[in-house]
Amino acid sequence: MDLRAGQVAVVTGAASGIGLAMARRFAAEGLKVVLADVEEAALDKAAADLRAEGADVHARVVDVGVREQVLELAESAYDTYGAVHVLCNNAGVGSGAEGRMWEHEPNDWQWAFAVNVWGVFHGVQAFLPRMIKSGQPGHVVNTSSGDGGIAPLPTASVYAVTKAAVVTLTESLYAHLKAEHARVGASVLFPGPHMLRTGLWESHRNRPERYAKQRPRRTPYRSLAQWEAAMRAAGNEVAFTPVEEVADFVVAGIRADRFWLLPESEHSDAQIRARAHSMLERANPTYLESFVLD
């Protein structure tokens, strides 16, 4: 689709990181932007900053894991602007799980699935019927990750499982839209190609009580800065991709109607080949054995 001034973009997880960068990039194209996020103070600041830059903004506090709140977001967006042309199901959390998979708490899985998978599905059901019925060009972008979307990082297996689900969900959505001859496209986003400075590392700060951990963590949560310092101390410099580059990549991908919003990366390509080779050869996934799970 051709992004034009006056169109409307909805972005979840929009108060910071990739979501805010996408919202800012859409606004730079003249789109009206609907910001949704669970963190009210950060959302208010993001909306105020964008308005100060001249953007037409509607902001709403939303927990995408709660279906009713996403349905209300859609009602609010349509009541405010009368249409939605771009939907970015971007909100995501890390689960906070520790240890081996059989040691994970059920609440770690339930919270991660509520946001990372159900949140995407809720967005699809809340917005797609009206987007299709309008007959106007539109596009849906669902945020996945190389962790799970390409191959799992076993030390973050809960997150990986949810992001793998987002890929399959979006593939199915693409097929359904084609079968309907809809003027709405679909893409799955793999932010990168390097690490990103986002609030995902501090997801626990917004963890709802209904998904509270049932036993104390054995180790404290580690911030991105702490992880980066540990990597540097081990002699490993970490490359980061600016979130603004991700937003530019998304806008270009929407315009080109690209399904795979997967930046070029030797590392990702090697993972894809190794996994595909393992499947085609019916061989064990030796590409996972290099991970240290201690």
Side-chain angles (χ1 to χ4, degrees):
M1 66 176 290
D2 183 25
L3 295 175
R4 301 191 310 273
Q7 292 175 331
V8 181
V10 176
V11 183
T12 67
S16 62
I18 298 166
L20 179 55
M22 289 194 293
R24 180 167 279 120
R25 186 66 178 79
F26 290 136
E29 295 289 332
L31 275 72
K32 303 169 185 178
V33 289
V34 178
L35 311 182
D37 201 283
V38 73
E39 199 164 0
E40 186 171 9
L43 180 64
D44 289 344
K45 183 180 185 307
D49 290 346
L50 285 171
R51 290 187 183 111
E53 296 167 10
D56 189 339
V57 178
H58 177 63
R60 190 176 180 94
V61 177
V62 176
D63 179 346
V64 298
V66 180
R67 176 180 175 80
E68 292 74 20
Q69 293 187 26
V70 182
L71 294 174
E72 289 167 2
L73 170 67
E75 290 294 332
S76 182
Y78 277 92
D79 286 348
T80 303
Y81 294 126
V84 171
H85 303 88
V86 178
L87 170 65
C88 295
N89 291 308
N90 170 75
V93 296
S95 72
E98 291 182 292
R100 309 303 190 197
M101 184 178 289
W102 51 88
E103 298 173 323
H104 294 168
E105 298 181 31
N107 273 359
D108 294 334
W109 289 85
Q110 290 174 8
W111 180 42
F113 264 83
V115 177
N116 298 355
V117 181
W118 280 104
V120 175
F121 175 71
H122 293 330
V124 167
Q125 277 213 324
F127 287 92
L128 257 293
R130 282 195 251 195
M131 291 174 70
I132 294 169
K133 186 177 180 180
S134 75
Q136 300 180 51
H139 208 92
V140 179
V141 178
N142 296 330
T143 301
S144 181
S145 170
D147 178 17
I150 295 174
L153 178 62
T155 51
S157 56
V158 179
Y159 181 80
V161 171
T162 65
K163 291 304 182 178
V166 170
V167 173
T168 303
L169 186 157
T170 313
E171 288 175 309
S172 300
L173 174 63
Y174 178 90
H176 289 188
L177 289 169
K178 289 297 181 183
E180 289 292 318
H181 303 288
R183 297 188 71 191
V184 180
S187 300
V188 60
L189 171 63
F190 299 79
H194 306 297
M195 290 286 296
L196 295 110
R197 299 185 187 280
T198 72
L200 190 68
W201 290 76
E202 285 98 36
S203 300
H204 58 274
R205 71 190 184 280
N206 294 318
R207 185 165 181 156
E209 183 60 33
R210 65 186 181 278
Y211 298 125
K213 292 191 75 66
Q214 295 155 317
R215 57 179 181 267
R217 279 181 61 90
R218 295 179 300 204
T219 58
Y221 288 105
R222 186 160 60 167
S223 68
L224 175 57
Q226 290 170 325
W227 178 83
E228 187 179 358
M231 293 293 287
R232 188 176 292 116
N236 300 313
E237 280 297 325
V238 182
F240 287 89
T241 298
V243 292
E244 293 78 12
E245 288 187 14
V246 177
D248 289 343
F249 190 66
V250 168
V251 166
I254 292 173
R255 285 194 161 123
D257 192 26
R258 282 198 300 268
F259 178 81
W260 298 105
L261 299 186
L262 176 62
E264 292 185 9
S265 162
E266 290 184 9
H267 174 70
S268 293
D269 289 356
Q271 282 189 307
I272 292 167
R273 291 189 188 99
R275 189 177 189 210
H277 178 79
S278 173
M279 296 173 74
L280 289 169
E281 296 298 320
R282 277 65 175 176
N284 290 345
T286 55
Y287 56 92
L288 298 176
E289 294 176 4
S290 62
F291 291 101
V292 178
L293 298 182
D294 294 337

